[in-house]
Structure formats: structure tokens, C-alpha cells
Amino acid sequence: MFRTALRNVLAHKARLLMTAFAVLLGVTFITGSLAYGDSQQQAAVDRAAAGYDRIDLSVAPDSDPANGSPLATLDDRTAAALAKIDGVRAAAGRVDGFAAVADRKGNLLGTGDFRKGGNFAPNAEGTDPAYQFGAGTGPTRKDEIALDEASATKAGYRVGDTVRVGTGQGAASYKITGTFRTDASKLSPGGSLTLFANATAQRLFLRPGKYTEIEITAADGTDALALADRVDAALPDHTSAITGAQLAQLKARLAASDSGTMSQIMTGFAAVALFVATFLISNTFTMLVSRRTRELALLRAVGATREQVRRILLTEAVLVGVLASVAGIVAGAGVTSLLQKLFATPAAPAAPVVLTPTTLIVSVLVGTVLPVIAAWLPIRRAMAIPPVAALGAAEQSAPEPANSLRTRISVALTVAGTATAAIAALTGSADARTVIGIGAGLAMIGAIGLIPVLSRPFVTLLRPLLLRVNPVHGDLAARNTVRDPRRTGATAAALAIALALASGLSVLGASATQYMERATKESFTADFVVNSPGGANRLTPATAEPLKKLPGVTYSPLNQSTQYQLGGTSSVLTGVDPATIGKLLKYDIVSGSLDSLARGQIAVADFKAEQTGWKVGQTLPLERNGKKGEVTVGAVYRADEQNDLMPSITAPDSLVARYDSAPSTNAILVSPEGGASARADVVRALGDNPALAVLDKDTIAAEDTSGIADQLNIFYALLSMALVIAALGIANTLAMSVLERGKEIGTLRAIGLDRVGVTRMIRLEALLVGLLGAAVGTVMGVFLGWAMGRTLQANVAGFELVLPWGRLALGIALAVTGALLASLWPARRAARVDIPAATAAQ
């Protein structure tokens, strides 16, 4: 049986290649999806753990479990005492914080939160082992800095240049004394690092004489663990020491946990790939077995049993699966490398491809087991045909009855799934999203099962248009498309799945983008918002003080203060200037008056009032860190819980200052006398500080929505691979169909249909299949986007569903274009059919 299976595989090379190609595509996408997630996770772990081999011990204060703040402080005296311990060669105090440096055009160096500042801590030899200087030396004066080599090269700075550096304490000009290299523990990929003199860094980032951490270098021959025990014994309370190896492991675990989301997303796309590939592989094997019905019947007629024939076919499936799996794994590694390059960023550069044993095992199992499963049903059907009947039939067709069991089950799944998702979306229950997901999944499975039944009316609907474009070729294409509805349905289903997910994401993405743009632009009436680049809160109430210099300016910082117990509820208060806030933020008052802020009262967002039962005029107990008092609710206003700019509780800044001496300023709202055209005046008043971003409404809206666009682009790129699989599935199906219909095509050529006509007929068939899959997929995707959007409407005020007609049309156009491109090779093969050979008696 094995020799017979091997001879059959090698005897039909075209059939072998097309069958293997179907398996290869599925394995490629699954391997690529899983390997990309593993590669990203391993790269994140490697980046997080890099550089800590340089550190023997790290001493740092313990953190308060309640709020994460340090429970102790480290100072010069602690560092000096640690340096005297037996086995310690050096103890370098470290300080770090945020520091922004702009290039000559004013663009910030580094990315997001990776704009760091630190201290140059020279040892007795005047060097700092954490930094290797390629030019110049480390800073020693208060007006000097050193800059990492990559940032200096990018900005065109050299030793001796004067640059402007911004920190949380303002901006100042510094002279560059040197450029350096360092490891990833100090400088993240894509970031920037500015070194200050030790005293300057302490003043800017902490307090004079204080350190965030002390790095200990052990003397030669000293064991780090043994040294850790001696250091621990000398440390003050709430302070601990950890070895560099242990610190690397800790950072690696945190990075692995943070990158787990990407692995889950990639696993989801791998599941989609498996689902899409199943249709492709099943369709290919169905056509393969159908084409070989007479061959199999002949084997049985000469004495082979059903079980022997079944073994031959299953052995062929395993052989093809193993070969295609190996090729698919290699191709999947290539796809992973391509994805790494496409999605690489300065903060997350392309990393080596990681193929874990799990990925390899899953890929091989999918590549071997799936073909066997896909071949089982068509084999079972073929074995049910009597040999005499199979030998006498030129072709075996399997039309899909309109009232078959499969059709009835598909209708039931579609109706039940649609109803479940719609009811959950309209009622907005707590677990609505889970219910919608289940309902949408059932509806999608049902719709896919109905595609064979839908193919006939769909083609009938388009047939008049085809006949108008080309009567002969259009009629032939329409007839060929509905000849085997199951085949057409399975081919279109893969395309429908990919387009359904893409369309659903488009609906959600467009709706979220419109909501965020409208919420951002309508929530405040100020001309500008001042905040910190990268989204971190590094402003203080004092940051806004220089704005007083501007004539006719209206401004108010949003001073956020946490850890309040207000009316027995954990709350966050945002302090504002009562005299100006009404001109800068749009408060839609439900009850009470915003003027109550000037009387020391608070204003509460409607969602917060609804959650707590607070009302205007109600006096509430207020407590923070042991300080107690009372406050009255003076107003309730409409607000969206998802809007970061609109506070949940607005309080006069005098009230916040009474309970919190150092609130975190989220942003500063500014309206200068010159309006939106006076941005330069605001920048100058704030000291031309690179650490401060002065943004207008359009820029803020663009920043708020850029994250959505970036995520959508990643998802689109991944789904486009599923679309490629679906398009290649069309090519595979058409190619198999051309082989199967060789005699028919030869007859058409013999009676006058030229090569151009044959090519046009095959392309029109591909067009019909592409349109069918695109239509079903778009409808399913819009429904899925609507259902998921409804759950957001229930919780997000002002969220409205938007149909992105342009994106939907683009998706359909890409699907149709992919189908037409997929038809090029099968059409060319059909046009080159040898007429005498094709029409010869079989």
C-alpha cells in the first residue's frame, strides 16, 4: 500500500504540487503567526535583561504595596558606608528621571518614555564603568551634559555644542562634554540618555544628596551572593540588595508578562489562519478525490478492498502533509522575518526569528493531521460509490440540495447566532461582549455553510451584468461557477472569513476614531493643551507659573491628586483655577452651578454621581493620608468616563493644595490673547522647554487616534496574509478545475472558442467567486462591528457607529483584485490546453 501511495504521489506531479501548496499555505501562516509572537516576546525579554551582567549588586528602597512609593531613601552616607564593606570595590549612587533633548530642528530625540536622564558617577580613576566614552568626557559642572552617541549622531551634535534640555524642573542650556555608549539597562533601544553631573542630576530628579539606587561592583574573586548577605546586614530598614543576575531574571519575567498580550493576539491570528486553511485544504482534497473516482474504482475492480484504497489515499495525504509542513515551516520563518522588518520600531527593532518546539510541533501536526481530516470525508464519499457506477461516469457532480441537512443546520446556526448577538448588543448586559462573540461565531459558521446555497442566487443576480459585458464568456463563467456549489462555497468561504474580520475591525476603528476626535475637540474650548511628550505626567503646578507673563492669557493647570476617601468612596480630585476653568473646559451642567468652585465646593461628573448616589448640596466627608474635612457637591456635569481630559471630580486648586502638597499636573489648558496663532508666545513663556508639548485641538485629536490607526494597521497586515491564503486558494481551486475540465475546455476550443475567450471565462469565474466571498464577508463584518459597537455605546457617552464606506469598498476591491490575480496562472494553463489530447477518448 505504501509503495502504491508513493507511486501515485510521484506519478501526478501537478496534482502533488497543488495539494502540497494548499497545506504549505496553512502551515506557513500558522508558523509565521506563532513564531512572530514568540520572537517578539523573546526579544522583549532579551532587551529587558541585557546589561545587568555588569552589575554585581543593586541596592534600592523597598516599595510601599499600597501606592508603589519608596519606603526609604538612599544618600551619600549610605553609598560611602557600602563602599567600605569587605569585598566591595566600588559603590556608585544612581539617579534617573525624564530628560528631553531636541535636535536642531526642534524635534525631540528618543521615543516616548525612553527619553531618560541620569548622573555621571566617576570612580577614583575619574571614569564611570557604566558608560564608555567615544569622544570627550563625562560632565562635572552644573552646566554640562553628555549625550549617547546614537542621539548625538542623529541630531548632528558634537562635543562643545550647546543644547537645550528639558526636565520636570524646567529647561536650561548645557554644553556637551562627551558622547558615550552604554548597555540596555541604561539606554533602551530607540531612546535617548542625557548624563548630568552628579549634584545636578540629584537636584533635577530627586533631592540633593539622594539616590534612586546604588550599584555595587564586587572586588575580584568575591562571590555576589555571599557579598549580598554582608551588604544586607549593613543596609537601613526597608532597603534590600539583589544581585545583577537576579535583577535580570526579574526584568525578564516582567517583560515576558507584558509581552504576553502580543502572543495571545498572534495565537488568535494563527487560529484564523487554521480556520481559513481548513477550507482551502478540504476543498483541494475534495476535488482531488473527485477527480480520481474512476481510478479508485478501477483499483477496487481489480481486487483492492475499500480499506486498502482508503489506506492508499490517507498515506498519500500524510506524505504530502509531511513534505508541505517542512516547506511551510521554512516559509513561515521567512514570513516572521518579514513581519519583524515591517513592524520594527526604534524602541522594538527587528529581532532574530525564534522557532520554539511548540511552534514546530503544532505546525507539523497541523500540516499532517489536517490533510488527513480534510481527505477523510471525500474518501468516504468516493468509497460509497459502487465501482461499476464510478467507472461508467465521466464526472461525479455533487449539487447542494436546497433542503439538505447541512443547509438546515446552517440556517439554524445563522439565525440563532444572529439573534443571540443582536439581543446581547441591544440589551447591553454585563457579559454582552462574550455573548456577542459566541453569537457572531455561530452566525459566521452558519453563513459559511450557506455560501453553497447562496452561490446560485448570487450568480443569477449578477448574470445579466455578465451577459451585457460579454454574452458568451459571461454565460459560460456563470454556469461553471454554480456547477459545483460546494466547491464554490468552500473557495469563497476562506475569502469571506478574512474580509469579515477586516470589515468588523474597520467599523470599530472608524467609530472609535470619530468618537475620540469629537470628544477631544468638543470637551475643551482652550486654544492649547500643554503636556509632557510620551504621555507621562511630569508636570507640576509650578510649571504653569511662567504663563503669567503673557498679557491677557487665560490658563489653568489640571492638578490631579489621588488617594482620597470622599463620602466613603476612593476618589481622584482634579484641582483647577475656579476663575478660568469655565472658559477652558466645556462643562455641560446637569444641576447646580460651576460658580460653586469659587466657594470651595466641588463639581462631579454625572457617571460618578450615578455610581455613588451623590447630589447637589450634599456634604461629604473628605480624608487623605490622615487629613480630614468636609466638602459640598456644588454641581453635576455630563462627562464621558473614557475621556481623559474631563475630570471625574473637579475641585478648586486651593482645596487640593490643602490635602496634597505635590499633586501631579496632567495638563495645562491655555488660551493666549492671540488665540491659536500665538503658539510661539506660549512656547517662549514656558522657557522653550523640550520637555513640554504645546498642542492644539487638531494635534491632540491626531495623537489620540494614532494608536488606533497603528493597531489597525498591524491587524490589517496580519489579516492580509489570510486574504493572500484565500486568494491563492482560488488559484489552487481554479487550477484543479482546469485539470478536471480538460476535455470540456478542449471541446470549447475545438468548436471555436479562442485562447482569449478561455482566459476571459476563467477570470470571470474567479471574479464571481471573489465577489461572492467579499459580499458575504463584508455583510458579516459589518454585523460583527455593529454588535461589538453596541456594547461600547452602552458605556461610552457619545459613541456612535460609523460605516467606513471607503475602507469597506477598499476591502472588496482588494478581495476582487486578489481573485483576479489568482486566476492568471489557471487561465493561462487553460488557454494552452492541447486540443487533440484533451478531446481524445478516455
Side-chain angles (χ1 to χ4, degrees):
M1 290 301 101
F2 180 80
R3 288 197 300 270
T4 302
L6 186 60
R7 281 198 301 269
N8 284 334
V9 168
L10 297 176
H12 305 281
K13 293 182 175 57
R15 185 177 69 199
L16 167 67
L17 289 175
M18 282 183 278
T19 308
F21 190 55
V23 180
L24 183 148
L25 288 175
V27 174
T28 296
F29 195 85
I30 292 166
T31 303
S33 299
L34 294 177
Y36 179 74
D38 293 335
S39 301
Q40 288 291 96
Q41 185 173 30
Q42 186 61 51
V45 169
D46 291 343
R47 286 194 298 269
Y52 290 100
D53 54 351
R54 174 184 55 79
I55 302 172
D56 291 310
L57 287 180
S58 173
V59 176
D62 298 332
S63 298
D64 188 343
N67 53 33
S69 59
L71 294 172
T73 58
L74 301 174
D75 52 24
D76 291 324
R77 185 167 48 185
T78 307
L82 293 175
K84 296 178 182 178
I85 294 177
D86 183 34
V88 174
R89 185 170 66 185
R94 298 295 181 192
V95 183
D96 58 71
F98 172 79
V101 182
D103 61 18
R104 299 183 189 278
K105 297 181 180 179
N107 300 315
L108 288 183
L109 300 174
T111 304
D113 250 3
F114 299 133
R115 301 180 178 108
K116 300 292 186 179
N119 63 320
F120 177 68
N123 54 24
E125 291 79 26
T127 62
D128 189 330
Y131 308 104
Q132 298 80 47
F133 280 82
T137 60
T140 56
R141 299 163 56 94
K142 64 179 181 180
D143 60 347
E144 296 176 342
I145 64 163
L147 195 60
D148 69 277
E149 282 186 352
S151 297
T153 301
K154 182 179 180 181
Y157 290 142
R158 298 179 180 178
V159 174
D161 288 347
T162 299
V163 298
R164 194 81 171 160
V165 182
T167 65
Q169 301 299 320
S173 296
Y174 298 86
K175 179 182 178 181
I176 299 178
T177 61
T179 59
F180 60 87
R181 298 182 304 277
T182 187
D183 54 55
S185 68
K186 296 296 182 185
L187 176 60
S188 302
S192 66
L193 178 59
T194 306
L195 293 183
F196 299 84
N198 190 61
T200 305
Q202 290 176 325
R203 174 178 57 82
L204 292 175
F205 302 134
L206 204 56
R207 293 193 305 277
K210 304 296 182 182
Y211 295 108
T212 308
E213 175 191 15
I214 297 176
E215 292 178 358
I216 294 179
T217 303
D220 294 339
T222 302
D223 180 70
L225 290 174
L227 181 59
D229 292 336
R230 294 197 293 273
V231 168
D232 269 329
L235 289 177
D237 292 339
H238 305 297
T239 307
S240 57
I242 184 173
T243 67
Q246 292 170 333
L247 193 56
Q249 292 176 357
L250 177 62
K251 297 290 186 181
R253 284 197 298 269
L254 291 174
S257 175
D258 292 340
S259 62
T261 302
M262 175 56 71
S263 296
Q264 293 173 1
I265 292 173
M266 298 309 300
T267 301
F269 278 102
V272 173
L274 180 61
F275 198 41
V276 173
T278 299
F279 286 95
L280 172 59
I281 296 170
S282 177
N283 203 30
T284 302
F285 273 95
T286 299
M287 296 177 65
L288 179 64
V289 175
S290 176
R291 176 172 170 78
R292 298 175 61 191
T293 301
R294 297 184 69 189
E295 173 192 330
L296 301 177
L298 183 60
L299 283 174
R300 292 178 59 196
V302 297
T305 65
R306 288 187 179 185
E307 185 61 30
Q308 286 176 319
V309 174
R310 185 179 291 111
R311 287 177 185 173
I312 290 174
L313 294 175
L314 292 179
T315 302
E316 290 181 25
V318 171
L319 288 173
V320 171
V322 170
L323 293 174
S325 296
V326 174
I329 289 172
V330 175
V335 168
T336 302
S337 179
L338 178 61
L339 289 175
Q340 294 268 43
K341 293 177 181 178
L342 286 176
F343 299 147
T345 64
V353 175
V354 175
L355 290 174
T356 65
T358 300
T359 297
L360 295 176
I361 292 172
V362 169
S363 299
V364 172
L365 284 177
V366 167
T368 53
V369 174
L370 195 57
V372 172
I373 296 174
W376 180 262
L377 185 58
I379 291 172
R380 186 171 175 270
R381 288 176 186 158
M383 293 302 97
I385 302 174
V388 175
L391 284 171
E395 291 184 13
Q396 295 294 330
S397 61
E400 181 73 16
N403 60 346
S404 67
L405 177 61
R406 169 178 166 168
T407 301
R408 292 196 294 271
I409 293 175
S410 297
V411 170
L413 288 175
T414 303
V415 173
T418 302
T420 299
I423 292 172
L426 294 172
T427 56
S429 58
D431 54 353
R433 295 181 188 177
T434 302
V435 176
I436 288 173
I438 295 173
L442 293 175
M444 185 175 292
I445 294 172
I448 290 169
L450 285 176
I451 290 180
V453 179
L454 295 173
S455 62
R456 193 175 297 276
F458 182 82
V459 172
T460 301
L461 180 65
L462 293 181
R463 187 172 181 177
L465 180 60
L466 292 176
L467 294 178
R468 181 173 297 181
V469 173
N470 196 305
V472 176
H473 308 137
D475 184 54
L476 288 173
R479 291 176 181 272
N480 289 331
T481 302
V482 297
R483 173 187 295 182
D484 192 338
R486 282 184 181 175
R487 180 186 303 171
T488 300
T491 307
L495 195 60
I497 295 168
L499 209 58
L501 296 175
S503 300
L505 287 173
S506 294
V507 171
L508 287 175
S511 302
T513 298
Q514 177 178 282
Y515 158 74
M516 295 189 72
E517 287 180 347
R518 186 174 62 249
T520 299
K521 291 182 179 181
E522 292 182 356
S523 61
F524 70 97
T525 55
D527 293 312
F528 301 105
V529 173
V530 180
N531 60 22
S532 295
N537 295 332
R538 302 185 183 91
L539 309 181
T540 66
T543 307
E545 292 297 317
L547 292 173
K548 293 179 179 178
K549 304 173 185 177
L550 290 176
V553 68
T554 302
Y555 72 94
S556 175
L558 303 179
N559 300 319
Q560 190 177 79
S561 183
T562 60
Q563 302 177 24
Y564 287 88
Q565 284 295 317
L566 179 59
T569 302
S570 180
S571 301
V572 176
L573 269 62
T574 300
V576 300
D577 184 348
T580 61
I581 192 61
K583 302 174 184 177
L584 302 168
L585 270 183
K586 185 178 180 181
Y587 282 87
D588 186 1
I589 301 298
V590 176
S591 59
S593 171
L594 197 63
D595 294 338
S596 60
L597 293 175
R599 300 191 295 271
Q601 299 178 356
I602 61 173
V604 181
D606 54 355
F607 65 84
K608 183 71 173 181
E610 183 178 348
Q611 293 170 2
T612 57
W614 298 339
K615 298 179 180 179
V616 172
Q618 185 176 354
T619 299
L620 304 171
L622 180 64
E623 180 180 355
R624 184 182 188 276
N625 293 342
K627 296 181 180 179
K628 298 181 179 181
E630 291 183 340
V631 67
T632 301
V633 178
V636 174
Y637 53 90
R638 290 188 181 89
D640 180 7
E641 194 169 357
Q642 309 301 321
N643 189 338
D644 294 334
L645 194 60
M646 204 70 185
S648 60
I649 301 176
T650 304
D653 47 16
S654 58
L655 175 65
V656 169
R658 208 158 50 235
Y659 289 86
D660 188 356
S661 60
S664 173
T665 302
N666 278 0
I668 303 170
L669 305 177
V670 187
S671 285
E673 188 176 39
S677 62
R679 181 181 180 278
D681 295 336
V682 176
V683 172
R684 279 195 298 271
L686 291 171
D688 195 17
N689 190 344
L692 299 178
V694 181
L695 310 174
D696 59 18
K697 294 181 182 181
D698 292 334
T699 305
I700 294 172
E703 285 191 353
D704 288 344
T705 57
S706 62
I708 298 176
D710 292 342
Q711 290 295 323
L712 283 178
N713 288 336
I714 292 176
F715 293 153
Y716 286 151
L718 294 171
L719 287 174
S720 67
M721 296 177 64
L723 193 63
V724 169
I725 290 180
L728 293 176
I730 294 175
N732 205 18
T733 301
L734 287 175
M736 294 283 284
S737 177
V738 167
L739 286 176
E740 185 180 88
R741 293 155 49 194
K743 185 174 182 179
E744 172 192 320
I745 294 172
T747 302
L748 289 172
R749 291 289 318 281
I751 63 176
L753 190 64
D754 59 10
R755 289 186 174 183
V756 174
V758 173
T759 300
R760 191 170 297 162
M761 177 184 69
I762 299 299
R763 289 179 181 174
L764 287 176
E765 291 178 33
L767 176 65
L768 287 172
V769 173
L771 285 172
L772 176 60
V776 175
T778 301
V779 171
M780 288 193 298
V782 170
F783 172 75
L784 180 62
W786 169 82
M788 295 302 291
R790 282 288 305 180
T791 63
L792 294 176
Q793 279 184 304
N795 301 317
V796 181
F799 185 90
E800 296 179 357
L801 290 173
V802 176
L803 287 180
W805 297 108
R807 291 184 189 177
L808 296 177
L810 179 61
I812 294 174
L814 289 175
V816 172
T817 302
L820 290 175
L821 291 175
S823 70
L824 293 178
W825 180 68
R828 183 172 180 270
R829 186 181 181 89
R832 299 176 65 183
V833 165
D834 188 325
I835 298 175
T839 55
Q842 297 183 16

